[in-house]
Amino acid sequence: MRLAVLGDVHGNAFALRAVLDDIRAASPDQVLNLGDTVWGCADPARAWALQQEFAPPSVRGNTDERVAGLRDGKETMRAWVRARLQADVPATLAALPTHLDTADGEVRVAHGSPRSPWEDLMLTGTPDGHTRPARFRELRERLGGFRFGAGGRVCIVGHTHREMLTVVDGLTVVNAGPVSRQKDGLPLARWVQLTRRAGHWTAEFRRVPYDTQAASTWARTHGPAGAGDHEAHWLTTGREP
């Protein structure tokens, strides 16, 4: 069995198209989407249409909650994004679960953690404003009872825009890289292939080049004042401004 897992599209139709082409070539058995679907400035309407057709969101991301009106703040950006989407999209996003089990319960997908799309599963904030890798006891708590001994094999999340992998008590824990808005200085679209062989799962981090200049030009031309330039810088440099 092969699962394709993508997330953090952030309204970037250009990066998503490249990822979907790579996924199609891999011919997975199932495509899973970790959320944060449309909150971004590189053609979110087309990004949503592509997701609806080829990779519908499996779980709700934190910015999906903003689009849906479940969380206040960033009203200008919310209004701009919603104006480009069909009227039923916010309700569709609000109805998504915070986690989903698949592959006979062996794989759990979530956006941030199984408990909340706003919680980092694999990173922990420090008093100086930075982050460190989560300790095993922190991971066990945030996994919310999903564990190897109870049938779980893999938990995969997004949200942090980092590629990470660890094993906790036999459970493989994966943080998928983002389709858009990379944070490591390498502006390549990301997704993960999970493969099950002989009862064991392996994770392959995939990276795909795409036309970052076209995406940034779209953001500058059509995005809201200030936010479009911010997005364009992020997409071309692979670093959050």
Side-chain angles (χ1 to χ4, degrees):
M1 174 179 281
R2 287 179 295 177
L3 307 179
V5 186
L6 62 89
D8 293 292
V9 173
H10 282 286
N12 187 341
F14 302 85
L16 177 59
R17 180 75 272 173
V19 163
L20 290 174
D21 287 346
D22 198 44
I23 288 175
R24 185 178 298 110
S27 299
D29 299 293
Q30 185 179 6
V31 180
L32 299 158
N33 184 337
L34 302 176
D36 272 11
T37 54
V38 292
W39 189 274
C41 305
D43 203 350
R46 185 160 65 97
W48 177 251
L50 287 169
Q51 287 172 90
Q52 285 292 94
E53 185 173 2
F54 300 110
S58 307
V59 292
R60 188 171 72 242
N62 61 301
T63 63
D64 296 328
E65 291 198 348
R66 288 202 187 278
V67 175
L70 301 177
R71 183 69 68 105
D72 294 331
K74 302 190 177 182
E75 301 301 330
T76 300
M77 184 65 180
R78 186 201 334 256
W80 183 87
V81 170
R82 289 180 66 153
R84 278 142 189 85
L85 303 171
Q86 296 173 334
D88 63 344
V89 174
T92 298
L93 295 175
L96 291 168
T98 57
H99 72 264
L100 177 75
D101 294 338
T102 189
D104 294 327
E106 292 188 3
V107 177
R108 175 164 291 186
V109 298
H111 179 70
S113 81
R115 302 192 304 187
S116 168
W118 295 86
E119 180 179 55
D120 293 350
L121 176 60
M122 299 184 70
L123 292 175
T124 297
T126 60
D128 60 2
H130 294 88
T131 58
R132 59 164 174 78
R135 299 186 175 99
F136 283 178
R137 61 175 176 78
E138 294 170 326
L139 285 167
R140 292 185 188 106
E141 179 183 0
R142 295 169 193 171
L143 285 165
F146 186 69
R147 62 187 188 277
F148 183 82
R153 299 278 182 167
V154 181
C155 182
I156 182 165
V157 298
H159 186 51
T160 65
H161 294 228
R162 304 287 185 184
E163 294 164 308
M164 294 180 283
L165 184 147
T166 192
V167 179
V168 184
D169 304 327
L171 182 74
T172 300
V173 184
V174 182
N175 203 134
V179 171
S180 188
R181 296 183 171 185
Q182 289 74 37
K183 292 186 176 181
D184 55 13
L186 189 62
L188 300 175
R190 321 293 173 93
W191 66 281
V192 172
Q193 180 169 280
L194 298 177
T195 303
R196 189 182 194 275
R197 293 189 183 93
H200 299 283
W201 289 90
T202 59
E204 178 185 355
F205 292 96
R206 303 288 291 259
R207 298 174 176 178
V208 187
Y210 75 99
D211 193 342
T212 57
Q213 289 300 325
S216 63
T217 297
W218 202 102
R220 286 195 182 96
T221 303
H222 302 285
D229 290 335
H230 183 280
E231 185 94 9
H233 176 84
W234 199 340
L235 300 184
T236 55
T237 64
R239 293 190 185 278
E240 184 175 7

